[in-house]
Each structure stands twice: as structure tokens, then as C-alpha cells.
Amino acid sequence: MTPNDSIHDLHNVPDITDVRSLLQLLSAMGCQCSFSPERKGYVRINSQNLHSFSPQYSPPALSDAYSSDASLRDEFDTIARKIRGSVLLLGPMLARFGAVRLPLPGGCSIGARPVDLFLKSLNVLGANL
């Protein structure tokens, strides 16, 4: 999700629980996400209203609307903990807002799959973890 683009059309997207959960996370951060009822595997994401969703960091104009609502943060954290793919939001959100907070990802029943490589990569790029 680049800062200058707002409409993203994705093709060949499987309609599976992990994808739906990731779209819920994007929706919780202000995106409008939808699977096309006419075209199988087609998803449109409008990120025009994307905001950081974190109790520690919110854009100043949105801080009252989002960072103080604990029930929304809890719902977001619950969804993020369900899937491994939530870790893929770290880089784009960090690039867009300069800060991000996500709970550790979950969803892995096949054994340990650490996220340290993602974190090390962000650190090398200058992120403070």
C-alpha cells in the first residue's frame, strides 16, 4: 500500500480464512476491502483512509477517534494473532507511518516459524525495535 496510491486491484486471490482475516485487519486500519461477487479471485482494496491502528501511535488528527477505543484495539489484536500473514503488514505500515504496533502473529500449527528475519530486516533498514 503505497502512500500515493489508493485503489489496489488484486487478481487470483484465494478465498480462504487467512486472506479474509488479513482483509479484516486492513479494514480495521481504515481500508475498504471486498471480494468481487462477479469475478472469482478478484479483490479490491481502497487504502485512501488507511491509518495506523495502535494504542502507542496514531496520526494526530485520528488519535481521539482510534487510539482511545480499547474494544477496537482488542478486536484488531485478536484477528492479527489468528494468522501468520499479519507480520507482512509491518514493512508497509512502518514505511507509511514511521511507526507500527502489531501483536505477534499466530496461526501456525506446523511448528515454530520465527519472525526474527522480518524484524532483523526492518532493523537493518533503520527501524528501532
Side-chain angles (χ1 to χ4, degrees):
M1 309 281 160
T2 60
N4 298 326
D5 297 332
S6 60
I7 303 293
H8 310 276
D9 293 322
L10 308 175
H11 306 276
N12 298 317
V13 178
D15 190 359
I16 60 175
T17 303
D18 280 11
V19 169
R20 293 235 174 228
S21 293
L22 194 56
L23 293 177
Q24 281 183 292
L25 289 177
L26 291 172
S27 294
M29 292 186 286
C31 292
Q32 294 175 323
C33 306
S34 61
F35 270 94
S36 171
E38 297 88 27
R39 297 171 61 190
K40 184 177 179 177
Y42 178 87
V43 173
R44 172 162 280 182
I45 301 171
N46 181 340
S47 62
Q48 181 177 352
N49 296 317
L50 180 66
H51 55 78
S52 176
F53 199 97
S54 169
Q56 288 90 17
Y57 176 82
S58 292
L62 298 174
S63 60
D64 291 338
Y66 296 103
S67 65
S68 63
D69 193 332
S71 66
L72 290 176
R73 285 194 313 268
D74 291 345
E75 179 182 351
F76 180 86
D77 287 357
T78 299
I79 296 167
R81 286 189 185 106
K82 281 197 236 178
I83 59 172
R84 297 292 299 170
S86 62
V87 74
L88 298 175
L89 296 175
L90 288 173
M93 295 301 289
L94 186 59
R96 186 163 184 153
F97 295 107
V100 65
R101 183 204 63 84
L102 287 175
L104 288 173
C108 187
S109 61
I110 62 172
R113 292 192 298 165
V115 296
D116 63 323
L117 290 177
F118 289 99
L119 301 178
K120 286 177 185 176
S121 299
L122 293 173
N123 194 296
V124 167
L125 293 171
N128 295 319
L129 304 175

